Amino acid sequence: MPPPADIVKVAIEWPGANAQLIEMDQKRALSSIIREVCDGWSLSGSEQFALRYADGPQLYITEQSRGEIKNGTILRLAISPARAARQLLERIQSHGIDARLEALKELAKLSADPTFAAEFINMEGIGTLARLVESGTHFGEMLAFTLTAFLELMDHGIVSWDLISLSFIKQIAGYVNQPMVDVSILQRSLAILESMVLNSHSLYHRVAQEITVGQLIGHLQVSNQEIQTYAIALINALFLKAPEDRRQEEYTNPLEQHLTEMASTLAQKHLRSIILNHVIRGNRPIKAEMAHQLYVLQVLTFNLLEERMMTKMDPNDQAQRDIIFELRRIAFDGENDPTGTEKRKAMYTKDYKMLGFTNHVNPAMDFTQTPPGMLALDNMLYLAKVHQDTYIRIVLENSSREDKHECPFGRCAIELTRMLCEILQVGELPNEGCNDYHPMFFTHDRAWEEFFCVCIQLLNKTWKEMRATAEDFNKVMQVVREQITRALAMKPSSLDQLKNKLRGLNYSEILRLRQSERMSQDDFQSPPIIELRERIQPEILELIKQQRLNRLCEGSCFRKLGNRRRQEKFWFCRLSLNHKVLHYGDLDESPQGEVPFELLSDKIPVSDIKSVVTGKDCPHMKEKSALKQNKEVLELAFSVLYDPDETLNFVAPNKYEYCIWTDGLCALLGREMGSDLTRSDLDTLISMEMKLRLLDLENITIPEAPPPVPKEPSSYNFTYNYS
């Protein structure tokens, strides 16, 4: 007979004594259980003791967290959080160097525990640590442990960052600015400054006064990728939190790249080229967190375009109208304009029509829609000034055509700019967990404008290949979007590589790819083939189900997302080989292969699983703040709900793992597998199997015989060997 649901069998350890095996009644007060355990070892003052996990992070157990204790868990009797905090606070203020070092080392470990952290903070512990840092008397390991404890304590969100003193900030900034400093101290100092910037508007200004991007550049030229990652993360934080008036400078010259104060520094200090040469093209593979920070920097850089993208052109602004006049002058050498007003107006109208504007009389009206607003005009002027020969060729070869196949440059440039803004998500905040950066955007100081120039030439070429007319405009833009997105998916490392990829994706190749991708959807629609498909589908679904379950048996590594993503913590989950138990447990680092069941201390019987929920229905997604509720994390989140009212929460590392696990768990529970991956696999495998079987039928030698009696088209009989 199984034990009651409220009874948990655990082992409790105490140094120098035999472990106690007890049945813990979860309805009973925790203090009463601790008193009984203390009595078993003749320990007085049970209120001075608490229970902690013996393995993993060794967190304290509270009334709120005790529900997570599972059968077979090993616990440890320890001094209470309040007593531990008091003792450590006394020891870190002692005069003995060795005693203080050991106390700080223990504090750095305990500070991750929220229960201990609350007690230590209530005793003004953070102020004590801050004074130790401000004194400037701690170095090496002692300072590293002090900074680690400080950061862990602050990350619990119990104390506001606004309380941090200026002298503390200066001291931390000093460690970052020192040419030679211990790696562990530098790591923690960069992380502390990043947290200050992200969590306090007032501290942003103080940190920005102490740290410049130029001072961080040196940390990007080291061989330690973790230091590089922390440095770029701090740059991103300063970039993200810069006030709007400093972030976006006024346009003084349309040909000058519009930059934030931060972006201006990037150009001055050659940050882009240093990131390219020392990070992207370094000798080490890019880790996931570095890829994320590069993606964030890419997004923030492109977001500098948002103001121009959302700025409408003022048709009455002469300076803005002069840009359009300049486009006309470059294209048609407008130095020999007629003197008469009417003649000049008629010529301008004719020229604007040849330039491809929709409004021939007043082309300024073409730029009043946002997006892309004035950004489209900026792109056009950049092409005309920097790639003048290309600009003139595109305009003149289309303006001289008489066969209605001319490509309207102005209209195309405006729509292309809007499309590129959508593809690169200009104006949207970075997604947590996304690593989708493009190396080629770090290869040029004017990457956006150069990207536009490549794409406008592609559009002109595709227009000619399609022999398009004005009525085909939207069709051409759809093809061009597909060409660009397919090329970007190949992750070209430079703009030249992008050009090569696009040359291979001409209109004929796009048609071929579309036709190939439609095969699984459009082929085999005749009644006998549909019948064959229906016969094959259960067999294929069973194969997919077994593959999913086999993958669950191999297991996967998941990352715990905390306040500081670079200090990664991992956990692993896998299904037992008999498909009866889910095993999981914490890991110190990402595994390189399969993790043995013995290392996974926790488990859930499959029979206890009630359901699997995804997305916003997950408990851990409901708990997240609105700021962290981004679409990408929601799409990767799922939870296992099991008895009694417990959950195991996941955030998959990518969409593939998400589909594998949600499908596998559904298969485990006898429910339908409904992910996009399953549908895709099903279509692909069925199509392959059908082609093979039909090919076998074509290769059968049929002996001569009298022609069969014709049957009705609706009657088809197939006999297949499914072995």
Side-chain angles (χ1 to χ4, degrees), residues 322-337 347-348 350-357 380-381 383-385 387-400 409-410:
D322 286 344
I323 302 174
I324 298 178
F325 293 153
E326 181 70 0
L327 289 174
R328 175 191 165 274
R329 185 195 66 76
I330 294 173
F332 305 117
D333 190 17
E335 294 178 359
N336 299 319
D337 288 350
M347 176 172 283
Y348 283 1
K350 179 184 176 183
D351 289 349
Y352 291 146
K353 181 178 180 181
M354 289 193 292
L355 275 170
F357 289 113
M380 295 165 70
L381 186 59
L383 175 69
K385 289 281 191 180
H387 300 279
Q388 194 169 110
D389 291 343
T390 300
Y391 168 70
I392 293 173
R393 174 178 57 79
I394 292 175
V395 172
L396 293 186
E397 76 177 16
N398 286 290
S399 62
S400 60
F409 169 75

Side-chain angles (χ1 to χ4, degrees), residues 305-375:
L305 305 168
E306 183 180 12
E307 182 173 317
R308 293 295 282 178
M309 180 182 75
M310 300 307 295
T311 299
K312 296 181 180 180
M313 186 172 186
D314 181 359
N316 299 317
D317 189 320
Q318 188 58 44
Q320 295 180 0
R321 293 169 62 89
D322 286 344
I323 302 174
I324 298 178
F325 293 153
E326 181 70 0
L327 289 174
R328 175 191 165 274
R329 185 195 66 76
I330 294 173
F332 305 117
D333 190 17
E335 294 178 359
N336 299 319
D337 288 350
T339 54
T341 303
E342 292 300 322
K343 290 183 178 180
R344 187 184 302 115
K345 186 175 180 180
M347 176 172 283
Y348 283 1
T349 300
K350 179 184 176 183
D351 289 349
Y352 291 146
K353 181 178 180 181
M354 289 193 292
L355 275 170
F357 289 113
T358 303
N359 192 318
H360 309 150
V361 178
N362 185 7
M365 299 302 296
D366 287 14
F367 300 95
T368 55
Q369 184 176 355
T370 59
M374 290 294 290
L375 185 59

Side-chain angles (χ1 to χ4, degrees), residues 221-233:
Q221 296 173 289
V222 300
S223 59
N224 187 320
Q225 191 172 119
E226 284 194 21
I227 293 296
Q228 293 175 323
T229 304
Y230 277 91
I232 294 180

Side-chain angles (χ1 to χ4, degrees), residues 175-179 181 186 190 214-224 227-229 231:
Y175 299 137
V176 172
N177 294 332
Q178 285 179 17
V181 67
L186 180 58
L190 288 168
Q215 291 167 324
L216 295 173
I217 282 180
H219 300 310
L220 298 176
Q221 296 173 289
V222 300
S223 59
N224 187 320
I227 293 296
Q228 293 175 323
T229 304

Side-chain angles (χ1 to χ4, degrees), residues 53-83:
Y53 288 99
D55 301 317
Q58 301 181 6
L59 299 178
Y60 278 102
I61 294 167
T62 65
E63 290 289 356
Q64 292 72 33
S65 64
R66 64 186 296 180
E68 299 173 9
I69 301 174
K70 307 294 188 299
N71 276 316
T73 301
I74 301 176
L75 306 179
R76 179 175 297 156
L77 186 67
I79 60 173
S80 67
R83 185 179 172 189

Side-chain angles (χ1 to χ4, degrees), residues 83-113:
R83 185 179 172 189
R86 191 180 310 107
Q87 290 181 357
L88 285 176
L89 197 55
E90 292 171 356
R91 288 165 59 195
I92 63 177
Q93 298 178 85
S94 66
H95 297 293
I97 300 297
D98 292 340
R100 192 184 306 174
L101 177 60
E102 285 303 312
L104 287 168
K105 184 176 181 179
E106 188 176 346
L107 177 63
K109 182 179 180 180
L110 276 175
S111 294
D113 188 308

Side-chain angles (χ1 to χ4, degrees), residues 437-456:
Y437 80 98
H438 296 278
M440 71 174 184
F441 290 129
F442 292 86
T443 63
H444 200 285
D445 290 330
R446 305 294 292 272
W448 165 263
E449 291 87 344
E450 289 295 324
F451 183 48
F452 168 83
C453 293
V454 171
C455 293
I456 193 68

